[in-house]
Amino acid sequence: MPATFEQGDAQHLRFESGAFDACRTERMLCHVPDCEAALREMVRVVRPGGRIGVIDVDTAGVMIDSSDRAITAAFAASMTDTIQNPWIGRTLRRRMAEVGLVDVVVEARVLEIGYGAIEPMIDAHVTLMQQAGLGAEAVEEWKRELEYANLAGTFFMAMTMFLATGRKP
């Protein structure tokens, strides 16, 4: 049967229990209000012996090469504060066990992120940091440093992604 796409609520899947051999999600659990409910639903719709796969982030571990440690830390905090479950990656082993999965394996991978991919997020968080009271000039200088590093080919940003799998008994 060919794959199809459906939009819905991951916390309340419309599928019958045991309908699938496997279920996977990528960068979703960090955003849903109730990540436990979403995981439980994934387990529910997979048949016994089926596999669950999760790829998600840990935004608190964002790394950016910048000379301004305070603004860089404020950027990381802003990212963490605007995501429902910013530490989801580091909690996957426990959460997957809590919903009854066995043979849980979690691997951490540090992924480098190019400036073009992150620029819209930088812009959004620059605005949020300024609204939070950080000095507008200092934040703009930080952003200019990153833009210059991008033009010079020295920009560096990375984030830890977690790949987790488990089996429904």
Side-chain angles (χ1 to χ4, degrees):
M1 170 180 247
T4 60
F5 174 80
E6 284 195 31
Q7 186 173 342
D9 182 351
Q11 301 157 112
H12 305 284
L13 297 174
R14 69 165 194 84
F15 305 104
E16 293 180 26
S17 296
F20 300 102
D21 293 330
C23 187
R24 96 179 262 289
T25 181
E26 183 173 340
R27 292 176 290 175
M28 181 270 297
L29 293 177
C30 66
H31 295 292
V32 298
D34 188 347
C35 59
E36 288 88 3
L39 271 173
R40 281 192 305 273
E41 281 293 276
M42 291 174 70
V43 172
R44 182 186 66 75
V45 301
V46 170
R47 67 167 172 74
R51 307 283 301 169
I52 303 291
V54 176
I55 300 171
D56 226 312
V57 299
D58 192 306
T59 59
V62 67
M63 297 166 268
I64 299 176
D65 179 21
S66 169
S67 64
D68 192 324
R69 291 172 58 179
I71 300 294
T72 302
F75 173 80
S78 181
M79 283 185 62
T80 299
D81 292 346
T82 57
I83 293 178
Q84 290 279 340
N85 305 297
W87 289 10
I88 191 69
R90 70 182 74 178
T91 69
L92 286 173
R93 184 182 316 274
R94 172 179 49 83
R95 290 178 190 272
M96 291 175 85
E98 288 173 351
V99 296
L101 295 173
V102 297
D103 302 330
V104 174
V105 176
V106 179
E107 298 178 20
R109 297 278 190 264
V110 176
L111 299 178
E112 187 172 347
I113 303 167
Y115 187 80
I118 199 68
E119 185 177 16
M121 189 177 294
I122 289 172
D123 290 341
H125 288 282
V126 160
T127 300
L128 290 172
M129 290 186 296
Q130 290 170 335
Q131 290 171 349
L134 283 175
E137 182 54 38
V139 173
E140 287 298 327
E141 180 59 32
W142 177 81
K143 181 182 172 190
R144 280 192 297 275
E145 177 188 0
L146 299 182
E147 290 169 342
Y148 177 78
N150 179 54
L151 293 173
T154 60
F155 175 80
F156 179 82
M157 178 177 177
M159 187 178 297
T160 305
M161 297 286 288
F162 291 82
L163 299 86
T165 59
R167 183 177 54 81
K168 181 176 179 178

